Amino acid sequence: MRSGSSRKAVEGAMALLDAIAASGEPADRVRHAWMRDHHKQFDPAERAALIQLSEQVLRHRGQLDWWITRDKGGLTPDSRLRVCAFRILSTGAKAASQFPFFQSDEVKEAEFLRRLERHTLDHPDMPLTARLNIPDWILPHFKKRFGVDLELELTAMLRPAPLDVRINPLKTTRDAAAAALAAEELRSQPTPYSPLGLRLSPQAYVNNGQAYADGLIEPQDEGSQIAAQLADAANCKFVVDFCAGAGGKTLVLAAAMRNVGRLVAMDVSAGRLTQARLRLRRAGVHNAETRELDSKWIKRHSGQADRVLVDAPCTGTGTWRRKPDAKWRLTPKDLEELVPRQAEILDRAARLVKPQGRLIYVTCSVLREENDDQVAAFLKRHPDFKVMPVTEVWPQTIGGACPVPGPYLALSPARHGTDGFFAAILVRHA
């Protein structure tokens, strides 16, 4: 974002950030609705500038709020102060160039902005949580997970994520999908690990293109692709996606099964399952059915499934490079409530797994409480299950060298260039 960006774009970023703050909904959802209602007010360059500026402010909110609240003027962080402070601290803009966004009687704000000149976003007095742009309460959890790599990993979460797409093997090959994207002037390259992935720039958008409409590709982070492929659903007769949501991983399972066998996508949300049906139809999937979570159905099919994939509801801490606003909505109570909920879901899903079948537990979290600790607790409750190291499954599902030592899949932005993903493969041995 250049310091010389138009006043209109800056005001647009402030208005968008106000809408995000007022909504309490995920920023990408609010942004989509806000741009739909306001896009005609801005030319393409202004739209790009205001989106970029708003995203940067969301990413660096911890640092910006530290500057604003440390000031003796008693200021309260809001969208105007955050945007103007970011422009001064990150681009070297002059304080005077920000004054048009304030009333003439807002003297404290003007004095604060002047004091920011010749400073940068970082400061020697800034505490670690502010510098890494995370809430104070979650720091011990990240230290437990990352140890000496803490700053490396959290700094990687501040960088915009690329757009990864998964090609649909039922309709195309990776080379053909790349060519289809190139015809839309979208450059891509193969993802480093997933054999089904293509990587585009963070600014790329594919959902209004022909390759997407034809079901050749689906946006999906490489980590998510890998976690679903590790289910090893090829040649399985009965597979259940227990927390299917809108069907992203269901599509991976269907492709692995080559449209053969029975695939059931389950979820508590009828709305998400409606989205899943649309995606399955576009992808040319014929062996999948959708079903709202049903205890009677689970009981009837107890001990019958070859594979049960549980993409559990979680804190989403692994996705913060894509959803920087999410970190400020997450609370200790959320984590406290999610862990027992995950355990309950695992217990229910485990009932479906047949002897020698597999339960694949997946989260997009990097917290040990939701991952390693959750699996350890499950194994204590279910001694008829044991861990199958991910290194045993990787060669036939992903191919190449496994980038993690196991026994679990634990991907992270800094080490692997993916979102933070966790997967455990649990085999029922009796």
Side-chain angles (χ1 to χ4, degrees):
M1 181 73 189
R2 303 185 312 274
S3 60
S5 294
S6 74
R7 176 174 176 175
K8 192 173 178 182
V10 175
E11 289 176 336
M14 293 173 178
L16 173 54
L17 288 166
D18 281 340
I20 291 170
S23 168
E25 293 288 317
D28 55 352
R29 189 180 305 167
V30 178
R31 180 168 56 246
H32 178 78
W34 191 90
M35 292 302 297
R36 182 187 60 223
D37 295 338
H38 298 87
H39 75 279
K40 291 183 180 180
Q41 301 174 19
F42 307 96
D43 64 32
E46 289 167 340
R47 288 196 291 270
L50 76 87
I51 289 173
Q52 182 186 8
L53 178 55
S54 63
E55 288 183 349
Q56 289 284 62
V57 169
L58 288 173
R59 290 185 189 283
H60 295 280
R61 176 177 148 174
Q63 291 167 297
L64 295 170
D65 286 6
W66 180 83
W67 279 107
I68 295 167
T69 57
R70 80 186 283 264
D71 194 80
K72 296 179 181 178
L75 298 174
T76 300
D78 62 18
S79 298
R80 285 187 310 159
L81 282 171
R82 287 170 178 150
V83 167
C84 292
F86 177 80
R87 299 184 78 213
I88 294 171
L89 295 168
S90 68
T91 70
K94 296 297 183 183
S97 67
Q98 312 307 306
F99 292 166
F101 304 110
F102 297 87
Q103 301 297 320
S104 59
D105 60 347
E106 293 181 289
V107 178
K108 289 191 297 184
E109 288 80 357
E111 291 176 348
F112 162 68
L113 295 175
R114 286 194 185 96
R115 287 194 290 274
L116 293 183
E117 290 186 345
R118 294 182 299 279
H119 287 289
T120 61
L121 278 167
D122 211 353
H123 188 280
D125 296 339
M126 189 175 285
L128 183 62
T129 51
R131 184 156 50 84
L132 297 177
N133 293 280
I134 59 171
D136 292 339
W137 71 268
I138 206 166
L139 179 61
H141 299 278
F142 278 124
K143 284 183 175 179
K144 182 179 177 183
R145 166 63 176 88
F146 292 125
V148 296
D149 289 336
L150 172 73
E151 295 192 44
L152 178 71
E153 290 290 353
L154 291 181
T155 299
M157 287 188 184
L158 292 175
R159 294 191 285 269
L163 172 65
D164 291 347
V165 300
R166 178 189 48 79
I167 67 105
N168 178 7
L170 298 175
K171 289 191 172 186
T172 190
T173 64
R174 184 150 67 170
D175 287 345
L181 289 170
E184 300 175 26
E185 299 184 352
L186 292 169
R187 297 179 59 185
S188 65
Q189 59 184 14
T191 46
Y193 304 112
S194 171
L196 303 179
L198 290 169
R199 179 157 292 170
L200 294 82
S201 75
Q203 294 77 32
Y205 186 74
V206 299
N207 290 42
N208 57 358
Q210 196 62 44
Y212 176 80
D214 290 342
L216 305 183
I217 59 165
E218 280 280 343
Q220 187 177 29
D221 180 77
E222 185 183 22
S224 179
Q225 296 179 34
I226 291 170
Q229 289 174 74
L230 287 173
D232 194 17
N235 303 315
C236 290
K237 295 180 180 180
F238 183 23
V239 176
V240 179
D241 188 353
F242 198 77
C243 302
K249 293 181 177 64
T250 311
L251 292 168
V252 179
L253 299 172
M257 298 171 75
R258 306 301 299 178
N259 261 336
V260 177
R262 184 185 185 190
L263 174 58
V264 180
M266 304 186 74
D267 201 83
V268 296
S269 168
R272 288 195 290 265
L273 290 176
T274 297
Q275 295 178 50
R277 284 192 288 273
L278 294 173
R279 296 173 78 183
L280 291 164
R281 190 177 305 125
R282 186 173 63 246
V285 173
H286 308 304
N287 69 326
E289 60 187 89
T290 58
R291 177 178 294 275
E292 288 188 54
L293 204 61
D294 180 352
S295 296
K296 291 182 179 179
W297 187 93
I298 294 172
K299 185 176 181 180
R300 287 198 307 271
H301 294 83
S302 177
Q304 297 181 25
D306 300 288
R307 302 285 187 272
V308 179
L309 175 66
V310 177
D311 184 7
C314 68
T315 57
T317 47
T319 68
W320 280 0
R321 62 182 189 155
R322 296 185 189 277
K323 303 173 182 178
D325 59 298
K327 66 183 71 171
W328 307 111
R329 295 196 309 273
L330 188 68
T331 68
K333 185 179 179 181
D334 292 328
L335 178 60
E336 181 182 333
E337 293 176 347
L338 278 165
V339 171
R341 184 180 174 196
Q342 292 159 356
E344 180 186 357
I345 290 170
L346 271 172
D347 289 345
R348 296 183 73 186
R351 296 179 63 187
L352 292 166
V353 182
K354 73 178 188 181
Q356 305 310 315
R358 301 177 194 173
L359 176 65
I360 301 91
Y361 174 64
V362 176
T363 75
C364 54
S365 170
V366 296
L367 304 186
R368 292 183 65 91
E369 291 86 349
E370 300 180 273
N371 297 336
D372 311 61
D373 296 351
Q374 187 69 263
V375 173
F378 173 84
L379 293 172
K380 286 185 178 180
R381 297 192 306 274
H382 298 270
D384 53 333
F385 280 83
K386 61 182 178 181
V387 176
M388 174 178 281
V390 66
T391 49
E392 291 185 17
V393 182
W394 188 280
Q396 65 264 30
T397 54
I398 310 298
C402 182
V404 297
Y408 308 129
L409 178 76
L411 301 175
S412 68
R415 285 185 175 271
H416 308 106
T418 68
D419 286 352
F421 263 92
F422 174 88
I425 304 168
L426 307 169
V427 181
R428 187 171 209 158
H429 56 81

